[in-house]
Amino acid sequence: MAESYITPRQTHDEFFPYSGCKEDQLRFLLRYAVLAPSHYNAQPWKFRLHSDGIEIIKNASRAALTVDPQLRELTISCGAAVRMIEVAARYFALEPQVIFPSDNQSDFLARIELIDRHEPSDQDALLFHAIKERQTNRGLFTDAIIPNEVTKSCLASARELGVELGFTHNKRLKMAFASLTAFAVRHQLSLPWYRLEFASWMRSSISLKPDGMTGFGFFASNLPSPLARTTMKWLNRGKQIGIFNKNKVITASPILAVISTDADSQESWINTGRLLSDLLLKLTTVGLSASFMNQAIQEPKLRKQVAKLFSCEAKPQLVLRIGVAEKVQWTPRMPVDDCII
Ligand SMILES: Cc1cc2nc3c(=O)[nH]c(=O)nc-3n(C[C@H](O)[C@H](O)[C@H](O)COP(=O)(O)O)c2cc1C
């Protein structure tokens, strides 16, 4: 029977070409790579297939240069896709190895080689099945506890990747972080070029575009798109949205997770992305949702204050809210073939 699927989320896992050539297997793995989270759902990755590996290449034409001039979040997104390939490979009994280029300047970010056979464990299967289930959820979260074994497993992954990971439910920290976030949001939304860039990635729920962020109630109000997009472009609603986000952090974010690294290098950003996917998949397996609160990190001056607040010597890369929430609409994806060069 031939497989038919419309989006990568509808992939039939049982069609994995176990007896096909390595290149066909690698091509199949890319369907899971593209389900990774990415900044603005820009899907800023390209893949080059070889007979024994996949190269991940950054697609700078999909960068959000106003808010991410160093392509830091873009590279983290590519790292998130790398981890999805690793997880899928293990499920299909292949052992992946991630190799970094010696030259930090090029668009080529990493290469994944399948080095060996692997005996898939129950945990491999759990993580794999979470790939299609995971979603960013910007809703209001009710109280939540991360099971001990999940926390331990995420901390072990962080150590392996050379990345710092911390969790907090401390109310005082959350309030201080919420104030920094509100300040950052107010500043960003006061800039017309920031609002234009943001609006360019907003999509209506019935949009047929394969990228961008869908959903009407992205912020405080349920304005139907394209009204929401027009409002974003022309009105500075920074004060209201700042207060909305502040309250969301204080009252509807039971747990915050902070990911940081010693350096701001391509390799550390890729490893941040790998840890991000690891954490998000593990949270998905225990029914927890997550979303991002990165605005304070995106502002260089506030980023130092975020580091001080969470007492990390390292450079904060991402802050996540974690909790329990109803499922939301899926975001779209580009066809895998459009991401292969
Ligand atoms: C590096 C990175 C930064 C992100 N920053 C934000 C953010 O600041 N605010 C937000 O609401 N979502 C943020 N996201 C989430 C994306 O918008 C989301 O992954 C994308 O829309 C695809 O949706 P999905 O995660 O449900 O697949 C970020 C994702 C990544 C990987």
Side-chain angles (χ1 to χ4, degrees):
M1 191 179 74
E3 184 197 9
S4 70
Y5 79 103
I6 297 169
T7 80
R9 206 177 294 283
Q10 294 165 337
T11 289
H12 293 268
D13 309 329
E14 64 277 17
F15 278 87
F16 181 76
Y18 282 103
S19 51
C21 66
K22 219 18 138 3
E23 199 167 317
D24 286 346
Q25 295 183 341
L26 291 163
R27 187 180 291 272
F28 200 91
L29 294 181
L30 293 183
R31 299 184 192 187
Y32 305 94
V34 300
L35 292 179
S38 61
H39 186 212
Y40 286 150
N41 196 24
Q43 303 162 56
W45 39 62
K46 286 274 181 195
F47 305 99
R48 189 178 288 128
L49 291 171
H50 293 274
S51 54
D52 58 350
I54 304 171
E55 283 179 8
I56 288 85
I57 293 149
K58 67 180 162 209
N59 185 354
S61 71
R62 303 188 69 79
L65 289 173
T66 300
V67 73
D68 189 26
Q70 291 181 286
L71 309 189
R72 185 181 63 81
E73 295 200 1
L74 181 149
T75 310
I76 294 174
S77 306
C78 292
V82 168
R83 188 55 148 210
M84 296 305 184
I85 296 175
E86 293 177 84
V87 170
R90 287 203 185 96
Y91 175 75
F92 291 119
L94 299 160
E95 183 60 47
Q97 184 178 36
V98 177
I99 300 160
F100 291 98
S102 47
D103 165 18
N104 228 358
Q105 304 302 316
S106 70
D107 288 347
F108 162 47
L109 296 171
R111 181 184 170 94
I112 303 174
E113 286 181 7
L114 303 176
I115 51 168
D116 216 344
R117 302 301 298 167
H118 167 82
E119 188 61 47
S121 64
D122 290 350
Q123 175 71 359
D124 290 329
L126 267 179
L127 288 186
F128 172 76
H129 291 300
I131 293 179
K132 288 187 205 163
E133 282 301 305
R134 183 213 59 82
Q135 55 176 194
T136 300
N137 191 323
R138 301 181 182 88
L140 305 180
F141 295 160
T142 51
D143 232 347
I145 294 173
I146 305 179
N148 245 339
E149 65 275 13
V150 172
T151 307
K152 273 195 205 153
S153 164
C154 293
L155 292 173
S157 298
R159 271 193 302 278
E160 246 170 62
L161 293 166
V163 175
E164 278 183 32
L165 171 66
F167 296 98
T168 185
H169 1 325
N170 182 300
K171 207 155 187 184
R172 189 189 57 79
L173 278 183
K174 279 201 270 180
M175 284 173 81
F177 176 71
S179 297
L180 288 179
T181 302
F183 189 81
V185 169
R186 226 174 27 242
H187 168 66
Q188 290 177 334
L189 289 174
S190 71
L191 307 172
W193 48 92
Y194 172 87
R195 296 202 305 270
L196 281 177
E197 185 173 82
F198 195 116
S200 72
W201 291 105
M202 287 171 79
R203 305 280 181 265
S204 89
S205 302
I206 50 164
S207 163
L208 295 177
K209 285 199 174 170
D211 60 5
M213 295 173 299
T214 24
F216 290 172
F218 187 79
F219 281 134
S221 56
N222 281 328
L223 291 174
S225 215
L227 198 54
R229 199 166 41 235
T230 309
T231 310
M232 170 58 74
K233 271 191 206 165
W234 304 114
L235 280 185
N236 174 5
R237 296 173 67 226
K239 192 166 171 215
Q240 299 95 300
I241 294 172
I243 293 172
F244 177 72
N245 276 335
K246 182 174 177 177
N247 290 336
K248 195 147 104 169
V249 172
I250 297 173
T251 62
S253 307
I255 303 165
L256 294 183
V258 186
I259 302 181
S260 20
T261 58
D262 284 339
D264 265 326
S265 64
Q266 248 176 216
E267 188 169 325
S268 60
W269 294 337
I270 288 286
N271 282 337
T272 298
R274 290 168 79 196
L275 180 68
L276 170 69
S277 283
D278 188 89
L279 170 63
L280 294 176
L281 293 180
K282 284 172 184 163
L283 294 174
T284 304
T285 63
V286 291
L288 289 171
S289 296
S291 72
F292 298 70
M293 261 309 157
N294 294 327
Q295 296 90 341
I297 294 180
Q298 289 159 352
E299 294 299 310
K301 279 189 194 141
L302 297 181
R303 193 182 183 199
K304 288 185 191 136
Q305 293 188 47
V306 175
K308 208 164 141 197
L309 189 67
F310 293 108
S311 331
C312 52
E313 302 274 298
K315 297 176 193 306
Q317 302 292 353
L318 297 171
V319 177
L320 298 167
R321 309 165 48 236
I322 298 170
V324 174
E326 294 287 310
K327 287 235 162 225
V328 291
Q329 193 188 341
W330 299 114
T331 49
R333 289 299 185 272
M334 297 193 286
V336 169
D337 285 346
D338 291 1
C339 304
I340 299 177
I341 49 175

